[in-house]
Amino acid sequence: MSAQQMPFPDRETVASKLSTFNEADESFFRLLLENPTQDEALLAGINLYLDNQSEAKFLNSLKLERCGEWMGNNAPARLQMRLAEVGRSSQHAAFVAFRDGLTKSGGFERAYPKSPL
């Protein structure tokens, strides 16, 4: 694939933005979440970010949890299951913190409410 055909953003860009995640980056991620064609790049970037964090000397679990919570609160229903899969894909503390944030957000439950019996 030539440089002109590379999808934007790529997973490295997404991972980089997540590692410095702040209010200025929120609009970038809101745009990504609105566009279903960007789902694969977003999820690959989240995986890369969590992999990088799992190899870091210092684990900022509070930041990882906040990232998961923000994603859970802002991601559309079509992504909730896939975000949950990312959070469950490893038992490393980085993934656990991200998963805890997703759980705290309640996004999965809003997307897939339990039906009354």
Side-chain angles (χ1 to χ4, degrees):
M1 188 179 270
S2 72
Q4 295 171 343
Q5 296 175 335
M6 292 293 289
F8 181 82
D10 59 11
R11 69 187 200 126
E12 287 79 14
T13 302
V14 172
S16 174
K17 291 269 190 195
L18 284 171
S19 66
T20 62
F21 191 71
N22 56 41
E23 287 184 34
D25 296 322
E26 287 182 12
S27 59
F28 170 81
F29 285 105
R30 282 196 171 93
L31 284 173
L32 279 182
L33 294 170
E34 288 177 10
N35 188 351
T37 61
Q38 301 295 335
D39 289 356
E40 295 306 317
L42 174 68
L43 293 166
I46 292 171
N47 269 311
L48 179 61
Y49 167 66
L50 292 173
D51 286 340
N52 290 343
Q53 293 302 304
S54 67
E55 295 172 2
K57 291 181 181 180
F58 174 74
L59 182 67
N60 189 340
S61 58
L62 182 58
K63 182 177 179 181
L64 289 160
E65 185 175 329
R66 285 183 183 157
C67 178
E69 188 172 2
W70 189 92
M71 285 291 173
N73 281 327
N74 291 283
R78 72 173 192 278
L79 284 173
Q80 293 295 334
M81 178 70 72
R82 297 189 66 196
L83 286 170
E85 290 170 355
V86 168
R88 288 191 304 257
S89 65
S90 173
Q91 290 301 312
H92 189 279
F95 287 80
V96 171
F98 182 79
R99 182 174 63 233
D100 288 348
L102 287 173
T103 302
K104 188 183 286 188
S105 76
F108 187 83
E109 287 77 17
R110 285 190 302 277
Y112 303 101
K114 293 181 180 178
S115 61
L117 297 175

